[in-house]
Amino acid sequence: MIKIIISFISIFLISNAIAQNVAPVLQATGNQVYCPQTSLPIVTNMSITDPDDVGIAAMYIQISSGYVFGQDVLTLTGIHPTITSSWNATEGKLTLSGVSGDPTYLQFKAAIESVVFINSAVNPSGQRIFSITVGQANYLESTNHYYQYIPNTGISWTNAKNAAAASTYYGLQGYLATITSTDEVQISGVQASGAGWIGGSDEANEGVWKWVTGPELGTTFWNGAVNGSSPTFAFWNANEPNNQGEEDYAHVTAPGVGQPGSWNDLSNVGASSGNYQPKGYILEYGGMPGDPVLQISTTSIITIPVITNVISATRCGSGAITLQATSNIGSINWYMTPTGATPIFSGNSYTIPLLNATTDYYVDAFPIGCTFGNRVQVTATIKPVPVIGFTTPNPVCQNTNTTLQANTSLGVINWYDSNTSLTPIFTGTTFTTPNLSTSTTYFIEAISNGCLSNRLAIPVQVVPAPTVVDETIIFCENTSVTLQSGISGASYLWSTGATTQNCAVGSAGTYSVVITTPLNCNLTKNFTVIENTAPEITLIKVDGLTAEISITGTGIYEYSLDNIHFQSSPFFNFIVGGVYTCYVKEIGTNCGYDYEDFVVIDYPKFFTPNADGFNDYWKINGMQLFPDARIAIFDRYGQLITVLTTKNPHWDGRLNGESVSSSDYWFVANLGNITSEVKGHFTLKR
């Protein structure tokens, strides 16, 4: 009985001691910058505090973020007699364990401070986060959770879910992993020692995938099948989830199948063999209600400096230029060479006060003294500015055009009609202007690869053209006339073929001369040449006291009866009949004249032989002026009625003593040698 009581007391004391065991507190310091191809301790100081224990069986150091398989290695250096190390390249994990028995925390502290990180790449990049923990579960700083792969070939999803829920880790409640970030993909899938079940399912609602375990319980992470979408985060393998055979449960794909760490959907039991046979499950700890606050893990960070961005610069022509660069950490150093040498400047922005040619610079963010490192080239480009010139144009004649010539060392030349215009009127080296009426200035500017030359002005002087007026020239027949160009000091080409300043012609017609001035201005003057002839009187038509003079000839004529007073009209009116002389002369060019005598006879247009004492007789007034006159009177049928002479000067309207009837009668007056016969008619009224 006493033995039983003692046993119970012993069990109670042991249980109470276990219950009172306090988890250690780990704290690492020394976030550092890594020089390529060197070894660097992962911490500068490590502290382990445990009030009730002096040692532990093992410590685990994992590259929990940024791990690059095949390049990154953790190595224990120095002499540590009580501790041995083992490197797992798949998980990126270094295990420190006792050679025999449990090493003390002080021994682990010394060992951890002797663990170095080495990367074999010439130009590594990124950041490495090292998790140092007392347990085998992988610790992820970004979530403050722990992850552990549990191998169990053929286990069903349901059994894995129950087994995970029954697991604890230093008092943390376990559950099938809920993977909500790429960091978790890396630590729980890529860097896990195997693949298996995770806590996602669409069993409740086909095509609606939710986390059914852990703190994310009930959270939808995928809608649809292969071509669905995620409202949060998902990492399905290619062509997954495909729901082949009621596959309602999420599973981290076996290594070597598709993307490392990606997911596929399986039925509750999966396949019986091969890549789609469950090989275990992935446990996650942390974030559950009631979980204790632990410090059994700590982290340190090594950053490999990298230039995250560079901004090269370009300018046209020599001058100041500014280059820029940014990095993920550290101060940026500027160099003139891709390797070696000392920095010429430190800082994100580097201004070269004067640069004449394109120059490559190099930047890195490594601490000075790093012998390796990837320097990034930054180029300051100096683009040449075109140099332009032009041929000074000669003055041009008004209302003519000209061709302007320009040249450039580079690029193309644009022509503008103002110094401020942005739109060119022409592109090229040779520009033909429109016809110019006034002096005009054009502007040229060359552009090459975005660089502009100075804009130059090309003035074009426009000289007013001499004025010529077409002429009409009249000259007399049988003479010649000289056509005058009106401009001296030029060259001439007449339509006759002559090349003199003036040209004589002797016939009527149309002539022209092309006048070329010393400025090569071409002017054309036209001449209309009219040949005037002397007048010739062809007919003097007398009708009572009116005479009309008819002539032949070309010209401008005037008429006179006394050769003193002239008129432009060929018609004359007389008061009394008689013998007159008509004079005609050409007045435009005084080409000559003509004259001729003519007779004007005055006779009544009717008479009334009724013995009333008025108009009883028909006669030619002034008959006495024509002593040899003979006037024959005819009726309308041409029958001679009577003949009047100076001795028988009038007619009384009778024939053979008998009165003739009222009618029109005609007469023919032959006035002797004075002029030709005169004809007319009159009316007899009873």
Side-chain angles (χ1 to χ4, degrees), residues 202 206-209 221-230 234-244 247 263-265:
D202 71 341
E206 184 66 37
V208 179
W209 286 86
F221 65 88
W222 186 258
N223 291 304
V226 173
N227 296 318
S229 62
S230 172
F235 193 57
W236 294 106
N237 201 354
N239 300 316
E240 299 284 356
N242 55 27
N243 194 34
Q244 294 184 0
E247 295 180 330
W263 314 334
N264 64 290
D265 57 339

Side-chain angles (χ1 to χ4, degrees), residues 21 44 52 269 317 488 569 585 605 620:
N21 186 38
T44 56
D52 54 1
V269 295
S488 60
S569 173
K585 68 176 181 179
K605 295 296 183 182
I620 292 179

Side-chain angles (χ1 to χ4, degrees), residues 268-510:
N268 187 50
V269 295
S272 59
S273 62
N275 289 327
Y276 298 101
Q277 179 188 33
K279 302 296 192 299
Y281 55 96
I282 299 172
L283 264 172
E284 182 175 355
Y285 303 97
M288 293 294 285
D291 278 353
V293 177
L294 300 177
Q295 291 181 276
I296 61 173
S297 296
T298 187
T299 58
S300 65
I301 301 174
I302 284 179
T303 301
I304 303 173
V306 64
I307 299 298
T308 56
N309 186 47
V310 295
I311 302 177
S312 295
T314 299
R315 67 163 292 136
C316 296
S318 60
I321 193 167
T322 299
L323 307 176
Q324 294 179 319
T326 55
S327 67
N328 62 337
I329 190 173
S331 176
I332 294 177
N333 302 311
W334 297 77
Y335 301 86
M336 293 294 298
T337 59
T339 59
T342 57
I344 58 174
F345 181 76
S346 292
N348 293 75
S349 180
Y350 176 41
T351 298
I352 303 98
L354 177 63
L355 193 65
N356 297 313
T358 297
T359 304
D360 292 329
Y361 295 86
Y362 302 88
V363 291
D364 67 25
F366 294 104
I368 296 174
C370 285
T371 56
F372 290 90
N374 182 26
R375 292 182 186 174
V376 177
Q377 179 176 305
V378 190
T379 301
T381 301
I382 303 298
K383 296 191 293 187
V385 176
V387 178
I388 58 175
F390 62 88
T391 302
T392 302
N394 294 322
V396 299
C397 291
Q398 191 175 32
N399 299 322
T400 62
N401 62 12
T402 187
T403 298
L404 306 179
Q405 297 284 341
N407 57 79
T408 178
S409 61
L410 296 167
V412 297
I413 294 177
N414 291 324
W415 297 74
Y416 302 88
D417 55 11
S418 78
N419 196 31
T420 58
S421 176
L422 299 178
T423 303
I425 58 174
F426 180 75
T427 298
T429 57
T430 302
F431 170 55
T432 300
T433 71
N435 288 346
L436 303 175
S437 58
T438 60
S439 294
T440 304
T441 299
Y442 292 95
F443 299 86
I444 57 171
E445 182 180 74
I447 183 169
S448 173
N449 198 19
C451 292
L452 295 174
S453 69
N454 294 329
R455 189 173 285 198
L456 298 182
I458 304 179
V460 182
Q461 181 184 0
V462 175
V463 178
T467 302
V468 294
V469 179
D470 293 345
E471 293 185 44
T472 297
I473 298 177
I474 302 173
F475 76 107
C476 297
E477 62 180 331
N478 300 320
T479 64
S480 64
V481 65
T482 298
L483 307 181
Q484 297 183 347
S485 65
I487 296 176
S488 60
S491 60
Y492 315 89
L493 179 60
W494 293 86
S495 55
T496 63
T499 57
T500 54
Q501 181 176 348
N502 302 319
C503 177
V505 296
S507 60
T510 299

Side-chain angles (χ1 to χ4, degrees), residues 168-212:
T168 60
Y169 185 74
Y170 286 95
L172 300 176
Q173 176 63 51
Y175 52 89
L176 279 184
T178 57
I179 303 173
T180 61
S181 68
T182 54
D183 276 353
E184 287 189 283
V185 168
Q186 181 73 19
I187 200 72
S188 64
V190 179
Q191 289 181 239
S193 58
W197 297 114
I198 56 177
S201 173
D202 71 341
E203 179 186 18
N205 188 357
E206 184 66 37
V208 179
W209 286 86
K210 296 183 177 183
W211 296 117
V212 295

